[in-house]
Amino acid sequence: MNKEKLALAHPVYFAACTRDYVCLAEPSAKIVQNFCPRATVEMFDTGHWVQLEAPDKLNRSLLAWLEKAVGK
């Protein structure tokens, strides 16, 4: 497999959840970073449903990322 052909050139945001026991945070983050050179990975101390468990933290993080990635 040619990694360069599969790589995404645009900014990518990935919310990794440290208490998600299906989509494991560390291996998933490494995969995202491997194929997305412009990836931002944020770790959250939640289970799989970060948007339900920590909505304010997730929204603040997403807003900061958007402002940085695409400007105001």
Side-chain angles (χ1 to χ4, degrees), residues 8 10-14 29 32-41 65:
L8 297 176
H10 57 276
V12 171
Y13 180 92
F14 181 69
V32 169
Q33 291 168 328
N34 193 33
F35 287 99
C36 307
R38 295 179 61 196
T40 297
V41 174
W65 175 78

Side-chain angles (χ1 to χ4, degrees), residues 32-67:
V32 169
Q33 291 168 328
N34 193 33
F35 287 99
C36 307
R38 295 179 61 196
T40 297
V41 174
E42 293 288 337
M43 295 285 185
F44 293 89
D45 185 28
T46 67
H48 184 77
W49 302 106
V50 62
Q51 72 276 18
L52 299 176
E53 295 179 47
D56 293 337
K57 287 181 182 180
L58 176 63
N59 288 337
R60 279 192 301 273
S61 178
L62 276 169
L63 182 58
W65 175 78
L66 280 170
E67 289 173 346

